[in-house]
Amino acid sequence: MKNLRANRFVRSFLLPFAAVLWLGFAGCTSWKDPGYSVEQVVSIERPYELRAKLSNGSQIELKSPRLESDSLIGAGPNDPETGRMTRVAIPLTDVVSVEVKRSDGVKTAALAVGTGILVIGGIALIASATEPDPPPPRVSSGSGEPISCPLVYSWDGTDWRLDSGTFGGAFLEPLARTDVDNLEFARAENGWLRLRLANELPETDHVDALDLLVVDHAAGTEVIPDGPGRLHTVGALSVPIAAHDDHGRDALAAVRSVDGWGWESSPTGRDTSVTTDIRSALELEFIRPPGTTEATLVVHGSNTPWAGWLMQEFIAAHERDADTWYAAMNADGEASRALGEALAREAFLSVSVQTTLGWEPRGLVWEAGPEIAKRQALRLDLAGVQGETIRVRLESVPLYWNLDQVGIGFPAASEMTASSAQSTPGLPSTPHVRVFEPKSATMESDGQDVLRLLSDEDGIELILETGEAAELAFQVPPVPEGRVRSYLIATTGWYRIHSPASDAPPRPEVARIGTEPGAVSRLSVARLNEALEALDARATRASLTAFGEEDR
């Protein structure tokens, strides 16, 4: 009798608890009357979704509402025949009142736990409460922490704030790159700005150069880097009017704004032998302003902890040959770059746009690391796109990304390369970008001066072992009158992932990664299936152990 009760406990509590993390955001929102006019609601709040009550007693829900002359314009219900959105125009004189969707902050915070943490942490938690036989699938090595890249902290005037995980994916020396990232928390005091560069993970960080980018631009705009380091200036973003993933789940609420709760692909119901199951996708629709031929896609998100575990697994899978493999790859730039390109094709976020010829690729959103969300831009060529709607498809390895916001800037604004961008006289809308090297750089442990190691991309590196950190100071000029300022960091380097000592031969996945198309995606799904099965089995086993003696 107790065994039956224990199984019911597991399946009625623990597994549904896991499932609730994959439900849509709808349960955390409700319609609220803001208490003021439709003109004020639309122009001040700029809500993603609005419900209008009309004078004839009916009501209608509009996405991306805006005001044009004496009418309320927005995307209405999809046409039942075509499935496309419809454009709705309502005279303001017919609108009695409006309501907007507001989220419950407490519920949102409760759902902010990622499924990657659930799958990994759930196995560890359950395994600790039960016997080790049978063992759970191997999902980690070494310290058991997700690996990634050097961490950058900004001084906000009161405390250090984690602001960037830099050059993610550069885990081999030939893959060293310059990564550009926004610093949201950096604040200058008396003309000085302070940063902290730290290695808190099981790896060795090689930092060749580090510069601060000071960008002065017009109010109401923001400056966002793309993967190669070009800077894009965008104004207010247009939010999607629809978003669904490859499992048919509505993801719209999760990606419409930066609120700390984002979309992750479902890890369940995937078969490694089915091509569509080993990839995850998110399709979004945006209203297209008439005559627009290009746009700037903005993605605010990070890689999941699961992505970190998979990378750690790939290195650990080399077992006793890990050091030999690292040395060989670092000496063979061509082989390293081929591996990096193969991983990028699968693990980066592939972006496509639907045209008259079908889905056409438009580029990649680069790896972001799991520590903190990164804001990245990508120029979209809209050639071949017809009609009032832009459909965008984002695709990657299942459970590899957490996307907090996806938006589009219209029209696409100026683009420049961070390393060579200069101000343009006579064009006040052009951002003024200046590059500053640190004035001081000292190790926290012993005060050693390491400034010369970071001054240029010269191969002379600052090497940080686990637990080491350096503090940097930059002298910055005042903000020009009539401009607002953004700080970004440009960091050049790579990192070596530590692998535990082993006498075992390399595992089979080593030969497949980088040479077999879809190998990373297939490995991810296989590990997810093993982890979820272990989560179910271990939960059942733990509950039987906990309650088995009581009902005999």
Side-chain angles (χ1 to χ4, degrees), residues 284-308:
L284 309 102
E285 294 185 15
F286 297 86
I287 294 176
R288 179 188 186 185
T292 335
T293 58
E294 59 180 19
T296 302
L297 181 74
V298 175
V299 174
H300 186 94
S302 64
N303 296 119
T304 64
W306 183 256

Side-chain angles (χ1 to χ4, degrees), residues 46 64 66 220-222 233-241 284-298 353 378-382 385 387-392 406-414:
R46 294 185 177 181
S64 302
R66 64 188 187 276
T221 65
E222 61 176 323
T233 307
V234 299
L237 296 181
S238 294
V239 297
I241 59 172
L284 309 102
E285 294 185 15
F286 297 86
I287 294 176
R288 179 188 186 185
T292 335
T293 58
E294 59 180 19
T296 302
L297 181 74
V298 175
V353 172
L378 179 69
R379 181 66 56 81
L380 293 182
D381 180 0
L382 302 181
V385 176
E388 299 178 321
T389 306
I390 301 170
R391 297 191 68 198
V392 177
V406 182
I408 287 186
F410 297 110
S414 60

Side-chain angles (χ1 to χ4, degrees), residues 204-505:
T204 299
D205 296 336
H206 298 255
V207 187
D208 194 10
L210 191 151
D211 294 314
L212 179 72
L213 308 184
V214 176
V215 187
D216 298 317
H217 52 98
T221 65
E222 61 176 323
V223 177
I224 306 171
D226 61 17
R230 295 179 293 264
L231 302 185
H232 301 252
T233 307
V234 299
L237 296 181
S238 294
V239 297
I241 59 172
H244 292 87
D245 67 14
D246 55 323
H247 274 50
R249 299 179 305 161
D250 188 341
L252 194 54
V255 298
R256 67 182 182 182
S257 63
V258 178
D259 55 12
W261 183 83
W263 170 84
E264 292 179 2
S265 60
S266 172
T268 61
R270 296 185 181 274
D271 186 336
T272 56
S273 65
V274 178
T275 303
T276 54
D277 278 357
I278 65 171
R279 301 291 287 170
S280 68
L282 180 67
E283 294 184 8
L284 309 102
E285 294 185 15
F286 297 86
I287 294 176
R288 179 188 186 185
T292 335
T293 58
E294 59 180 19
T296 302
L297 181 74
V298 175
V299 174
H300 186 94
S302 64
N303 296 119
T304 64
W306 183 256
W309 286 99
L310 281 179
M311 178 59 73
Q312 192 175 40
E313 271 293 278
F314 172 62
I315 301 301
H318 290 84
E319 299 288 2
R320 66 189 181 199
D321 293 346
D323 290 341
T324 302
W325 175 81
Y326 243 118
M329 294 299 287
N330 284 340
D332 189 341
E334 184 176 346
S336 292
R337 285 186 287 274
L339 174 61
E341 291 170 2
L343 293 175
R345 285 193 295 270
E346 287 202 62
F348 285 12
L349 204 58
S350 300
V351 180
S352 302
V353 172
Q354 191 174 56
T355 71
T356 53
L357 300 177
W359 290 106
E360 294 189 4
R362 288 296 185 263
L364 299 172
V365 175
W366 287 30
E367 184 169 350
E371 309 84 9
I372 187 170
K374 181 170 180 156
R375 204 159 176 82
Q376 299 188 67
L378 179 69
R379 181 66 56 81
L380 293 182
D381 180 0
L382 302 181
V385 176
Q386 291 188 342
E388 299 178 321
T389 306
I390 301 170
R391 297 191 68 198
V392 177
R393 180 181 173 90
L394 310 178
E395 183 178 308
S396 187
V397 177
L399 204 61
Y400 222 76
W401 285 84
N402 181 295
L403 303 181
D404 197 4
Q405 183 190 39
V406 182
I408 287 186
F410 297 110
S414 60
E415 177 184 296
M416 64 203 73
T417 301
S419 60
S420 62
Q422 302 293 332
S423 62
T424 304
L427 295 176
S429 62
T430 302
H432 187 187
V433 182
R434 286 171 284 181
V435 181
F436 292 87
E437 293 184 353
K439 292 293 185 181
S440 67
T442 56
M443 295 296 293
E444 289 185 343
S445 56
D446 56 9
Q448 178 186 358
D449 185 350
V450 294
L451 181 62
R452 66 181 182 85
L453 305 179
L454 298 172
S455 58
D456 295 296
E457 294 181 30
D458 52 10
I460 302 175
E461 303 168 330
L462 169 63
I463 299 177
L464 297 176
E465 298 294 349
T466 304
E468 293 185 330
E471 186 174 326
L472 296 79
F474 299 81
Q475 191 170 16
V476 296
V479 181
E481 184 177 355
R483 310 289 273 179
V484 295
R485 173 164 292 176
S486 294
Y487 293 109
L488 300 94
I489 188 172
T491 314
T492 304
W494 66 285
Y495 55 97
R496 158 72 190 268
I497 299 168
H498 293 174
S499 180
S502 172
D503 293 327

